[in-house]
Amino acid sequence: MIWLRNQPDKRQLVLDAFYDDPLIDAAERYFAGAEWKAVSKLLQHRTGKALDVGAGRGIASYALARSGFTVTALEPDPSAVVGTAAIRGLAAEARLPIEVVEEFSEHLPFAEGTFDVVFARAVLHHMRDLDSACREVFRVLRPGGILIAAREHVISKEADLREFLDQHPLHHLYGGERAFLLDQYVGALRTAGFATIEVLAPLKSPINLFPYTIETLRAAVVERLTDKIPIKPVWGAALASTSIFASLLSMAERFDHRPGRLYSFVCHKGPA
């Protein structure tokens, strides 16, 4: 990541991935952004202990702690750039209750029913054993707890995986990317025991749209249409209504087969 951050032409990618420094500024930008606001709505009225699985630099740990949770950040990489050393530094600077545990996600070193919330941002698609990882998350959740698995890469068929990996902007740097079929994610979560599983499709939630928001995506669509037929005021007026634009996005879902498109999953553990 140090190499990436030193490339002037990759500056926007670095910002979009929250790899920029100072880390506390990147974490605050994530906390204030549309993605976290959408996550916060899913966590409304919830309190207690939260586990941030595959915490990376700790931006989600920061957001969870800022939202009132007592946070445990699980991350196997000890790095001061994208690992546990970075998280410890962020927690100390922000004076937030974040405990850091250096461990992999497939075998969570916690007792059954430890956490009220498990948050996993772009984590499940890295798993070599998806079923085991989902079972572990289910195990450490308390009855009535919630898992939010955000921004998971989905392919329509196994043959799409190579295309996705070839076009991924970071895979060539560390080789850690993967993607699964939608049914594989849902099947693993269901088999783990989750009582309800809500699937947030790529264009349904701001969580999956990032780095776009609804507003910036609408502007991008207007520009794309204007390139084809140069009547920008007409396109702008036609798509000005948020409800109309949302309806168009919903229709577009049927034709969206991009390899690696993003889905999120909101999973509830039933009561004891």
Side-chain angles (χ1 to χ4, degrees):
M1 294 309 161
I2 294 175
W3 176 87
L4 181 68
R5 295 198 300 184
N6 289 332
Q7 307 307 305
D9 62 325
K10 303 295 185 183
R11 179 60 179 171
Q12 192 58 53
L13 176 59
V14 169
L15 291 171
D16 290 345
F18 300 99
Y19 288 153
D20 54 303
D21 285 329
L23 175 51
I24 195 167
D25 291 348
E28 181 61 26
R29 192 170 73 251
Y30 176 72
F31 177 68
E35 179 187 329
W36 182 255
K37 288 178 181 177
V39 172
S40 294
K41 289 181 180 178
L42 299 173
L43 294 175
Q44 271 186 328
H45 311 303
R46 291 184 179 271
T47 57
K49 298 179 68 176
L51 174 64
D52 180 14
V53 177
R57 307 189 82 203
I59 58 168
S61 297
Y62 175 92
L64 285 161
R66 283 286 306 271
S67 300
F69 291 95
T70 301
V71 180
T72 298
L74 187 86
E75 170 58 43
D77 187 343
S79 165
V81 178
V82 292
T84 55
I87 304 170
R88 289 189 179 98
L90 175 62
E93 184 175 359
R95 298 182 180 179
L96 290 172
I98 301 173
E99 178 188 4
V100 181
V101 176
E102 201 168 295
E103 185 57 82
F104 288 92
S105 306
E106 286 92 337
H107 303 288
L108 300 178
F110 310 107
E112 182 175 337
T114 299
F115 298 99
D116 302 282
V117 171
V118 175
F119 186 69
R121 184 180 190 265
V123 170
L124 294 184
H125 66 260
H126 291 285
M127 296 299 142
R128 297 194 177 279
D129 189 340
L130 182 61
D131 290 333
S132 176
C134 291
R135 284 196 301 269
E136 279 291 275
V137 168
F138 182 84
R139 181 183 64 79
V140 302
L141 269 175
R142 290 174 180 162
I146 184 174
L147 160 67
I148 300 176
R151 300 175 59 79
E152 300 296 351
H153 291 299
V154 167
I155 51 177
S156 298
K157 55 186 184 298
E158 295 289 354
D160 288 343
L161 181 59
R162 176 44 54 190
E163 180 183 349
F164 162 63
L165 295 179
D166 287 345
Q167 68 187 12
H168 193 283
L170 299 178
H171 180 68
H172 70 285
L173 293 177
Y174 55 79
E177 290 297 328
R178 292 174 65 85
F180 293 99
L181 303 173
L182 181 60
D183 286 349
Q184 288 177 294
Y185 287 110
V186 174
L189 292 165
R190 184 173 291 127
T191 301
F194 285 100
T196 60
I197 302 167
E198 181 183 3
V199 178
L200 304 181
L203 302 177
K204 182 179 180 180
S205 170
I207 299 171
N208 302 324
L209 291 179
F210 183 85
Y212 287 106
T213 63
I214 289 291
E215 291 73 23
T216 61
L217 180 60
R218 177 165 44 202
V221 170
V222 168
E223 290 298 328
R224 181 68 64 87
L225 291 171
T226 301
D227 288 342
K228 295 181 179 299
I229 305 177
I231 48 173
K232 187 172 183 177
V234 175
W235 295 126
L239 299 179
S241 166
T242 298
S243 60
I244 290 176
F245 186 62
S247 296
L248 290 174
L249 290 181
S250 180
M251 292 171 57
E253 292 283 3
R254 305 177 202 171
F255 308 99
D256 186 9
H257 302 293
R258 293 168 295 149
R261 60 198 179 278
L262 296 173
Y263 279 74
S264 294
F265 306 91
V266 184
C267 311
H268 297 268
K269 185 171 183 173

